[in-house]
Amino acid sequence: YSLTEWNILSQQSSFVGLENYRDILFENPEFWEVLRNSLVFAAGLVPLNVALALVLALALNRAFHGVIVFRTMFFAPVVTAGAAWAIVWTFLLQKESGGINQMLALVGIDGPNWLRQPDWAMFSVIVTRVLKNVGLNMILYLAALQTIPRDYAEAATLDGAGRWHIFRHLTWPMLAPTTLVIRIVTVVGSLKVFDHIYLMTGGGP
């Protein structure tokens, strides 16, 4: 496909060799900007998504009243339509009438124009995308945490290890295979996002 020129309407194609590559690498200045923005988006989304998913999984991997409700609440955005999610956040992040800025105004903070300023626009689409998909990674971490035998943590506690040492030297290493899968899936997903960003920023300032 990349070596041909297609007419979408007539479904006819012609061989053009490396012309498409020459055009995109040397004649289209937008390509490099788009590539940079895609990498910045992925670099911001992946660590934030993985870290938040792990924190939520650790917090919800225990028995307390309402734990099922909280798990459902954090997973619900995953099954919400992407277009609907983006449109709702577009309204919430408006400059004057948006819910976020109205809440900030209550404490005397003049919120920025989230989706029209370049730095804030990137930040906004990253955070809203993280909130959209973090529930899936949270479930994967929860499943992995529940496969770790409790005997290990109990033995470490008897040896005098604190919670941080148990997490750092026991829990985190045993989550390594799950973390690898989550990172790969999240990186791939972050490089395929189009509708979310387009609906919120129209392509971005």
Side-chain angles (χ1 to χ4, degrees):
Y1 284 140
S2 67
L3 302 179
T4 60
E5 182 70 25
W6 279 79
N7 185 312
I8 299 176
L9 297 178
S10 66
Q11 289 296 305
Q12 294 180 347
S13 64
S14 58
F15 181 79
V16 294
L18 298 177
E19 181 65 23
N20 290 327
Y21 290 98
R22 185 181 67 81
D23 177 64
I24 206 171
L25 294 175
F26 303 110
E27 297 183 4
N28 191 337
E30 292 181 352
F31 170 76
W32 298 105
E33 183 179 1
V34 169
L35 179 62
R36 180 185 68 83
N37 288 339
S38 297
L39 295 177
V40 169
F41 180 80
L45 183 143
V46 174
L48 184 59
N49 192 312
V50 173
L52 183 58
L54 179 59
V55 169
L56 290 174
L58 291 171
L60 298 177
N61 187 37
R62 58 189 68 185
F64 61 88
H65 185 67
V67 64
I68 302 299
V69 174
F70 282 103
R71 290 177 181 175
T72 304
M73 182 176 65
F74 287 115
F75 185 76
V78 176
V79 296
T80 302
W85 181 261
I87 291 171
V88 168
W89 276 103
T90 300
F91 284 112
L92 290 174
L93 293 171
Q94 288 179 353
K95 171 62 176 173
E96 286 83 13
S97 59
I100 302 298
N101 280 350
Q102 288 184 359
M103 287 189 293
L104 291 176
L106 294 176
V107 293
I109 299 176
D110 184 21
N113 195 348
W114 298 97
L115 300 178
R116 294 295 174 262
Q117 297 176 9
D119 293 337
W120 285 114
M122 179 64 77
F123 172 80
S124 300
V125 293
I126 288 174
V127 170
T128 54
R129 190 66 186 182
V130 166
L131 296 176
K132 171 77 170 70
N133 289 330
V134 70
L136 178 60
N137 291 340
M138 178 197 72
I139 293 297
L140 295 176
Y141 269 132
L142 270 173
L145 285 169
Q146 292 175 4
T147 63
I148 300 177
R150 296 184 180 274
D151 298 347
Y152 296 162
E154 292 173 357
T157 302
L158 291 174
D159 288 338
R163 289 186 176 181
W164 169 247
H165 288 89
I166 292 175
F167 171 77
R168 180 181 177 185
H169 299 290
L170 178 64
T171 306
W172 180 241
M174 296 188 74
L175 290 176
T178 303
T179 301
L180 177 62
V181 171
I182 287 176
R183 284 176 176 170
I184 292 173
V185 171
T186 307
V187 167
V188 172
S190 69
L191 296 175
K192 294 169 59 180
V193 175
F194 173 79
D195 56 343
H196 183 96
I197 296 173
Y198 187 76
L199 287 171
M200 290 188 68
T201 68

